[in-house]
Amino acid sequence: MTLKDKVALVTGGSRGIGRSVCVRLAGAGAFVFINYARNEEAARETLRLVGQAGGSGKIVRFDVADDRATAEAIAALIREKGRIDILVNNAGESRDGLLVRMKEQDWGRVLDTNLTGAFHCCRAAAYAMMKQRGGRIINVSSLVALSGNAGQANYSASKAGLIGLTKSLARELAPRAICVNAVAPGLIDTDMTSAMTEEQREKILEGIPLSRLGTPDDVAGVVLFLASDEAGYITGQVIGVNGGLYM
């Protein structure tokens, strides 16, 4: 699955799933713009790993929740490389809490980053892809978009919204040969799950048929496939990466 001469933007690429996606895309030949909002050191580490994998890229700082900053940054990278072929909307934030105690700002910030941020990026990149008559948009949703989860009303709603956005854009952009899909990871071994106690981890593993947590690379492999020419007849789909936890 070669991505030679392709240009990719991965939001939230400084760690976790985003970092693995950057490395896999770059390893397949794409030039990867690694977006981050705050942690430049982590983004530079991703860039180092991209180089170690034999790829090339560049870090680019902007907050996807900021419409103007996002539009300006994406316009600049398109001017620099002359095109954008792959957009991976991975930037995400969680601020968990029970509904009756959830603060307005915690609801708003999660929706602004996870859902509205993806909208900002899609809008900024779609016109260039339409002119090229081709492209790939991959949205990183979540298992909880489908199952729900107590204490994550904001996160679940934002990730469910991404699925609706994916299916609508798949229909809208298909005439220009742009494929839009989503991946829905289950429990992935990242910073978000590292805070779990061993007891919590064991209880969760009991419900996963494959008896392990996923890895960021498990998700990145699916993203790589969806970004490649091999997935040229796949659009509007949500691919679960959850070890069978949700079927």
Side-chain angles (χ1 to χ4, degrees), residues 21 28 47 60 71 86 98 106 121 123 130 143 152 158 211 240:
V21 169
L47 183 60
V60 54
I86 302 158
L98 295 174
D106 290 341
C121 292
R123 186 170 61 179
M130 290 170 71
L143 176 151
Q152 287 193 309
S158 70
S211 301

Side-chain angles (χ1 to χ4, degrees), residues 222-234:
V222 178
V223 173
L224 171 59
F225 168 67
L226 291 173
S228 75
D229 290 344
E230 302 296 324
Y233 199 56
I234 299 173

Side-chain angles (χ1 to χ4, degrees), residues 16-233:
I17 291 171
R19 173 175 286 174
S20 288
V21 169
C22 289
V23 173
R24 289 295 291 272
L25 297 185
F31 183 94
V32 180
F33 285 98
I34 303 160
N35 160 258
Y36 71 102
R38 290 178 289 274
N39 193 335
E40 181 176 339
E41 183 179 352
R44 291 199 177 280
E45 174 61 12
T46 299
L47 183 60
R48 186 190 71 79
L49 294 170
V50 160
Q52 187 175 292
S56 57
K58 180 180 180 179
I59 64 171
V60 54
R61 182 176 186 173
F62 62 90
D63 181 352
V64 297
D66 184 328
D67 186 15
R68 182 173 178 179
T70 300
E72 290 176 352
I74 292 178
L77 68 86
I78 292 171
R79 285 195 302 270
E80 179 179 339
K81 302 301 288 186
R83 60 188 301 109
I84 181 169
D85 302 286
I86 302 158
L87 168 64
V88 181
N89 285 307
N90 171 74
E93 188 165 339
S94 63
R95 297 189 180 189
D96 297 349
L98 295 174
L99 176 67
V100 294
R101 297 175 184 169
M102 186 171 289
K103 297 176 182 177
E104 185 79 17
Q105 57 265 39
D106 290 341
W107 171 271
R109 180 60 194 178
V110 170
L111 269 291
D112 286 347
T113 300
N114 300 4
L115 179 56
T116 307
F119 159 72
H120 291 158
C121 292
C122 288
R123 186 170 61 179
Y127 185 66
M129 289 184 177
M130 290 170 71
K131 287 179 67 177
Q132 295 163 194
R133 300 194 70 84
R136 298 284 190 271
I137 297 174
I138 299 122
N139 296 319
V140 180
S141 182
S142 172
L143 176 151
V144 300
L146 305 168
S147 66
N149 196 34
Q152 287 193 309
N154 49 2
Y155 188 78
S156 298
S158 70
K159 294 298 188 176
L162 268 181
I163 292 176
L165 178 66
T166 296
K167 291 180 178 289
S168 295
L169 293 186
R171 292 184 180 277
E172 192 171 319
L173 300 177
R176 296 301 180 99
I178 300 166
C179 297
V180 188
N181 292 288
V183 293
L187 284 157
I188 307 299
D189 199 2
T190 64
D191 293 345
M192 283 190 176
T193 56
S194 63
M196 290 190 303
T197 66
E198 190 60 34
E199 183 180 355
Q200 290 173 322
R201 185 177 292 250
E202 288 300 320
K203 185 174 181 181
I204 289 167
L205 287 174
E206 289 175 6
I208 301 176
L210 287 180
S211 301
R212 68 171 178 87
L213 297 184
T215 68
D217 207 48
D218 288 327
V219 182
V222 178
V223 173
L224 171 59
F225 168 67
L226 291 173
S228 75
D229 290 344
E230 302 296 324
Y233 199 56

